[in-house]
Amino acid sequence: MNRVSQKLMSTWVRLGPRFLPFADAATPELPLSRLLRLSLFQVSVGMALVLLIGTLNRVMIVELDVPASLVGIMISLPLVFAPFRAVIGFRSDTHRSALGWRRVPFIWRGTMIQFGGLAIMPFALLVLSGGGDAAKYPVELGWAGAGLAFLLVGAGLHTVQTVGLALATDLAPAEARPKVVGLMYVMLLFGMIASALIFGLLLADFSPMKLVQVIQGSAVATMVLNCLALWKQEGRNPNRGKSSRPAPTFRDSWDNFVQGGHAVRRLVAVGLGTLGFSMEDVLLEPYGGQILHLTVGSTTKLTATLAIGGLIGFGLASRVLSRGFDPFRMASYGALIGVPAFLLVIAAGPADSAVLFGLGTALIGFGGGLFGHGTLTATMNLAPPGQSGLALGAWGAVQATAAGVGVALGGIIRDVVANQHAGQAFGPAAGYDLVYLLEVLLLFAALAAMLPLMRGARLAQN
Amino acid sequence: MSGDADKVYSTGLTFAEAEELHKHLIEGTRSFGAIALLAHVLAFAFSPWLH
């Protein structure tokens, strides 16, 4: 070790504990202020999601003239990391550290990776668009740069969210978890809505310089939010680092996890339900415009309607579940509300009724809120001791993959049906209606998967 | 200094623990450097130093 390192290290050991990011002595309860601070990581995840799926999607196609197919590939790159959430969670469960930390090193690395992706992203996109001097260089430079930027942001946000939720599970006692889950969802939604508005405002008059400022600003915001979130949250347990037992392999841990409490069935239910609630995501606005002839202003309000429905769902689920209600019953009610919600949206077309459409959209948000809250609360409550990272990772892997695949599938199915003669025979709404009907079927399948889970919960209570 | 492995300093850290903390700092600095380098290469390709 060189002299500079020696010097710095002796500084760390002498610094007051006030300046070190450890939790003070474990507190019996988690105060709301600390919980709110922890939930800031969800704001940074929401911001990154909006940037990838919303803002940059549009900027690349409209302002930068990048071919839509290339944009589609770039935007789906972060999804590659979603299945690895289970591995990330497992790695954090079994992390060996002299400090006795399990979660902080991973959140920190995830933050760094997300920051790195966002820091290089604006230049990568500008090179990808072939603007400026970029045309002088081979196109591969732009592809590689943009691909790397999207991969890094994806890897970072999946790591931060998985390990952040595992940390929240570690910190929150069982009776507080429904409230913690509600808060995490609300903060994710808040991060998405607030950053969508801010990005929209800042990029209103677009210039390459503005793009660099906005995306790099979001990189710095990621760093600040995540550091605030993890500061003094995780307590130290140095004995954990000293254990001489060999760390279990992923296979061992997974087998152990799968044996307890219908783990696979729970994951299947999460996958089916999430797929059922996400395929309409990019279709509601064009459906409103094309079939119901709503203006751009009123279709934008749809996003708000969906979000408000979701917020009411999270709020209600938090209240009811913290009184000891069965989370799977709650998730099933969510799926049950989803069924008439999609039927209302389908009926809005022939009835030419914006009111039915709005009501259906709000109910989709509401049902999705109940379903998401119920399944995440159940995941936290049923996580085996010492395996909360793996449990939350598996939930996140299924949830994020299903959501990403669902959104893509919805768009593809609609396009395929709309472009075929057989599809056109049923009118312009056929593509949309087929997707909505598929979602109804998926929700029924999710309900069927959850039925034994509810009975099991009831038997356990008796 | 490193001979006294179990000595707990005023922060409540032993030397091994401080070393781990330091490792994160070094790792962070390295990744930051790599990111900065990459960003500069791409920025140069778009417009040499944004001129």
Side-chain angles (χ1 to χ4, degrees):
Chain A
M1 200 181 299
N2 61 35
R3 265 191 32 231
V4 181
S5 288
Q6 288 264 1
K7 257 229 158 79
L8 273 172
M9 272 173 55
S10 45
T11 315
W12 300 143
V13 287
R14 288 198 194 102
L15 255 181
R18 208 151 61 87
F19 299 103
L20 291 173
F22 311 118
D24 304 328
T27 38
E29 81 270 21
L30 196 58
L32 183 67
S33 57
R34 197 171 140 198
L35 203 55
L36 271 172
R37 199 158 56 76
L38 178 63
S39 66
L40 286 178
F41 78 85
Q42 285 284 67
V43 177
S44 80
V45 169
M47 181 178 68
L49 283 174
V50 157
L51 199 59
L52 295 186
I53 311 165
T55 313
L56 292 182
N57 186 8
R58 184 220 136 93
V59 164
M60 279 196 282
I61 293 177
V62 180
E63 273 86 6
L64 295 178
D65 268 336
V66 179
S69 52
L70 192 57
V71 172
I73 293 171
M74 290 294 166
I75 284 175
S76 52
L77 279 178
L79 203 59
V80 170
F81 283 101
F84 291 108
R85 278 177 171 236
V87 181
I88 296 166
F90 157 77
R91 287 274 305 273
S92 80
D93 282 339
T94 54
H95 182 65
R96 285 284 161 82
S97 129
L99 290 164
W101 265 346
R102 293 192 294 181
R103 315 296 184 198
V104 172
F106 286 84
I107 302 181
W108 168 244
R109 268 183 216 142
T111 304
M112 201 74 201
I113 296 171
Q114 188 174 330
F115 169 86
L118 290 173
I120 62 169
M121 186 167 284
F123 304 118
L125 295 183
L126 291 171
V127 173
L128 184 73
S129 73
D133 278 9
K136 287 198 289 191
Y137 299 91
V139 283
E140 284 84 1
L141 182 67
W143 293 349
L148 185 70
F150 277 96
L151 280 176
L152 286 175
V153 175
L157 80 88
H158 286 308
T159 308
V160 168
Q161 196 175 39
T162 303
V163 184
L165 287 176
L167 179 58
T169 311
D170 294 346
L171 293 177
E175 66 274 10
R177 281 186 193 142
K179 292 216 169 90
V180 172
V181 171
L183 186 66
M184 292 294 157
Y185 265 117
V186 169
M187 289 306 259
L188 181 69
L189 211 56
F190 169 76
M192 291 176 83
I193 294 170
S195 40
L197 292 175
I198 294 172
F199 289 145
L201 213 64
L202 291 177
L203 287 172
D205 50 338
F206 181 86
S207 74
M209 193 53 135
K210 260 290 178 42
L211 185 72
V212 176
Q213 288 172 334
V214 168
I215 303 182
Q216 293 208 322
S218 76
V220 175
T222 301
M223 198 51 111
V224 172
L225 287 171
N226 288 1
C227 286
L228 276 176
L230 63 74
W231 188 256
K232 286 189 194 290
Q233 296 279 7
E234 184 177 20
R236 293 176 47 203
N237 181 1
N239 290 331
R240 214 185 272 139
K242 285 182 187 136
S243 159
S244 55
R245 274 189 309 156
T249 62
F250 180 70
R251 185 87 235 164
D252 294 342
S253 295
W254 181 258
D255 289 344
N256 180 35
F257 170 66
V258 167
Q259 272 166 18
H262 299 290
V264 173
R265 178 177 283 277
R266 278 189 277 139
L267 292 176
V268 169
V270 170
L272 289 171
T274 308
L275 207 55
F277 274 118
S278 56
M279 279 163 74
E280 84 292 349
D281 204 50
V282 289
L283 296 185
L284 286 177
E285 292 201 27
Y287 181 77
Q290 203 182 333
I291 309 299
L292 295 168
H293 310 294
L294 301 175
T295 60
V296 180
S298 31
T299 55
T300 319
K301 279 188 202 137
L302 279 177
T303 316
T305 312
L306 197 69
I308 290 168
L311 281 178
I312 296 173
F314 299 141
L316 182 74
S318 292
R319 271 182 79 94
V320 177
L321 288 180
S322 54
R323 291 195 204 120
F325 195 78
D326 174 15
F328 274 113
R329 185 162 287 262
M330 179 61 73
S332 309
Y333 288 157
L336 270 178
I337 290 170
V339 172
F342 284 111
L343 295 178
L344 275 178
V345 172
I346 295 174
D352 200 19
S353 159
V355 178
L356 279 188
F357 184 41
L359 188 65
T361 306
L363 283 177
I364 292 172
F366 180 65
L370 294 185
F371 178 82
H373 196 305
T375 51
L376 182 52
T377 306
T379 307
M380 283 191 174
N381 285 343
L382 296 173
Q387 285 197 310
S388 49
L390 178 63
L392 269 301
W395 172 86
V398 172
Q399 197 269 346
T401 311
V405 169
V407 172
L409 261 184
I412 293 170
I413 293 174
R414 190 216 76 101
D415 288 351
V416 167
V417 173
N419 290 330
Q420 275 182 355
H421 280 298
Q424 281 160 356
F426 292 100
Y432 297 103
D433 288 348
L434 181 64
V435 174
Y436 300 147
L437 274 177
L438 271 176
E439 297 193 270
V440 169
L441 292 180
L442 281 164
L443 291 179
F444 275 124
L447 270 173
M450 280 189 290
L451 269 179
L453 296 171
M454 276 190 290
R455 265 204 299 276
R458 212 184 308 141
L459 283 178
Q461 275 168 9
N462 289 342
Chain B
M1 188 147 62
S2 53
D4 202 355
D6 287 335
K7 179 171 177 195
V8 178
Y9 288 78
S10 57
T11 47
L13 292 184
T14 65
F15 207 79
E17 290 166 349
E19 194 171 344
E20 187 177 301
L21 210 58
H22 185 63
K23 210 182 71 202
H24 285 299
L25 186 81
I26 292 293
E27 192 192 277
T29 312
R30 283 197 187 129
S31 9
F32 194 87
I35 293 161
L37 192 72
L38 215 64
H40 278 81
V41 169
L42 289 165
F44 185 82
F46 175 67
S47 81
W49 316 135
L50 297 174
H51 278 309

